[in-house]
Amino acid sequence: MKKLMILCMTLVFGMILAACGNASNSDGEGELKVGLAMNTLNNPFFVDLKEGAEETAKEEGIELIITDSQGDPSKQLSDVENILQKNPDLLILNPVDSDAAAQIVLIANEQNVPVITVDRQAAGGEVVSHIGFDALKSGNIAGTFLSEILKGKGKVVEIQGILGTNVGRDRSQGFNDHLKGFDGIEIVASQSANFDRGEALKVMEDILQANPEIDAVYAANDEMVMGALSAIEAAGRLDEIIVIGTDAIDPALDAIREKKLEATIAEPPFFLGREAIHTAIKILNDEEVDDMITLENTLVTEENVDEIKTR
């Protein structure tokens, strides 16, 4: 009888331990925990970036804490402070503003949380690795495409991104540096629309009214190119203006297929998110990673639009 009681107690105790273990696993204890501070989710590019990170984190069994700063640097600071209170193993930062991001990185550094930046860089602090595309190269690709299709002569409009980010500055610099070599090409307007479709629509409307002759438009991202296309089409000038964007989001690829947009530059954001998670895993496993991880960007036209992989 005594042996039976001991056996029963042992079985009960074992069941309690198993239940506790299951409860612990369901709470995510023991999993790697990574914060992902997004600059905005009101833009298809960054939604795709987030989805790439989410899908990969799920595949790898990583708990991902995602915030949306809605384009506000002060909100991003608050978002990261909230993430850090949850004791993440690593922070992936997609900065709203490169200068403001430096303070965020320093706060994470003080708490010994390693930081990866993605797409946009931080102007300061200790970042283990930056993952992005070569924005100077993208601007140069756009300039090369237009100089060739215009045969070195024409009036060009540049719609710039957020110049407080390295991506906005570098895409513009790469574009302008290339076109400086062509005396016959004149940039008749260069204005920021902050990577925003609605702003680009208004900017392009104003530029069209002020410039009866425009041969080509370069927009530093595809959200802005879609806004610019809407304005150009409404003005009835789609057939006379060559347009190129950057990013290769789905609406831009569809516009190429519809022969409304001549080209874009593929910088698939889904792969940025995927690479960020893979890099985070390497860092947390004490593996060496490169300071700069640069993914390949490619010109997309009607010739190869159906061959480009964006996810």
Side-chain angles (χ1 to χ4, degrees):
M1 184 69 174
K2 187 175 180 180
K3 288 183 179 179
L4 182 60
M5 289 179 64
I6 292 171
L7 179 60
C8 289
M9 289 175 66
T10 302
L11 289 171
V12 170
F13 184 63
M15 291 173 66
I16 291 170
L17 284 176
C20 289
N22 289 337
S24 174
N25 289 337
S26 67
D27 289 338
E29 189 176 331
E31 287 185 348
L32 292 176
K33 185 187 296 183
V34 172
L36 174 60
M38 295 297 304
N39 93 82
T40 182
L41 291 175
N42 189 31
N43 180 316
F45 181 91
F46 296 109
V47 171
D48 283 357
L49 193 161
K50 174 189 75 82
E51 289 177 353
E54 275 183 317
E55 183 175 302
T56 311
K58 185 176 180 181
E59 291 169 359
E60 300 291 345
I62 289 176
E63 180 183 352
L64 197 59
I65 307 165
I66 302 172
T67 59
D68 174 10
S69 301
Q70 299 169 14
D72 182 348
S74 61
K75 186 177 186 309
Q76 186 158 64
L77 174 59
S78 176
D79 286 345
V80 170
E81 288 173 338
N82 290 334
I83 288 173
L84 292 174
Q85 288 178 3
K86 298 177 182 179
N87 299 313
D89 296 293
L90 181 142
L91 173 67
I92 300 171
L93 177 64
N94 167 229
V96 173
D97 177 272
S98 295
D99 291 330
Q103 182 183 359
I104 293 173
V105 175
L106 287 170
I107 291 171
N109 293 161
E110 289 170 3
Q111 297 191 30
N112 296 315
V113 175
V115 180
I116 292 171
T117 51
V118 61
D119 185 52
R120 301 172 181 178
Q121 292 175 279
E126 183 182 339
V127 174
V128 181
S129 183
H130 173 71
I131 300 159
F133 292 95
D134 186 337
L136 279 168
K137 180 182 175 183
S138 286
N140 190 270
I141 289 172
T144 301
F145 174 79
L146 289 186
S147 65
E148 289 177 354
I149 204 165
L150 293 174
K151 298 183 178 173
K153 185 177 181 180
K155 297 183 184 296
V156 175
V157 168
E158 178 193 13
I159 302 179
Q160 302 166 320
I162 299 173
L163 298 179
T165 66
N166 69 292
V167 171
R169 291 190 299 266
D170 288 353
R171 286 181 181 175
S172 180
Q173 182 183 332
F175 180 71
N176 283 277
D177 283 352
H178 180 79
L179 292 188
K180 282 177 184 175
F182 297 87
D183 293 336
I185 292 180
E186 177 188 2
I187 297 182
V188 295
S190 183
Q191 189 171 338
S192 171
N194 294 308
F195 290 134
D196 183 81
R197 185 184 296 211
E199 284 191 49
L201 171 63
K202 182 66 171 67
V203 164
M204 194 68 227
E205 285 175 341
D206 293 343
I207 290 173
L208 286 165
Q209 288 180 0
N211 295 274
E213 185 181 346
I214 297 171
D215 297 300
V217 173
Y218 164 58
N221 82 338
D222 281 343
E223 273 292 276
M224 294 191 301
V225 96
M226 297 309 296
L229 276 177
S230 294
I232 293 167
E233 188 169 18
R237 298 174 67 176
L238 201 57
D239 291 340
E240 66 188 70
I241 299 176
I242 297 158
V243 186
I244 180 172
T246 309
D247 288 340
I249 63 173
D250 289 343
L253 298 179
D254 288 340
I256 290 174
R257 294 183 182 102
E258 294 165 5
K259 302 186 184 304
K260 293 182 179 180
L261 178 66
E262 275 68 31
T264 186
I265 298 152
E267 294 193 1
F270 185 88
F271 297 131
L272 287 177
R274 182 173 286 280
E275 185 63 33
I277 296 298
H278 286 154
T279 302
I281 292 169
K282 290 178 183 177
I283 292 168
L284 294 173
N285 286 332
D286 293 323
E287 297 177 32
E288 286 192 14
V289 298
D290 292 333
D291 295 343
M292 297 284 292
I293 298 172
T294 305
L295 306 188
E296 188 64 31
N297 40 11
T298 309
L299 179 69
V300 184
T301 64
E302 63 178 344
E303 282 77 22
N304 66 342
V305 65
D306 292 322
E307 300 166 13
I308 295 297
K309 295 185 185 300
T310 58
R311 59 176 58 218

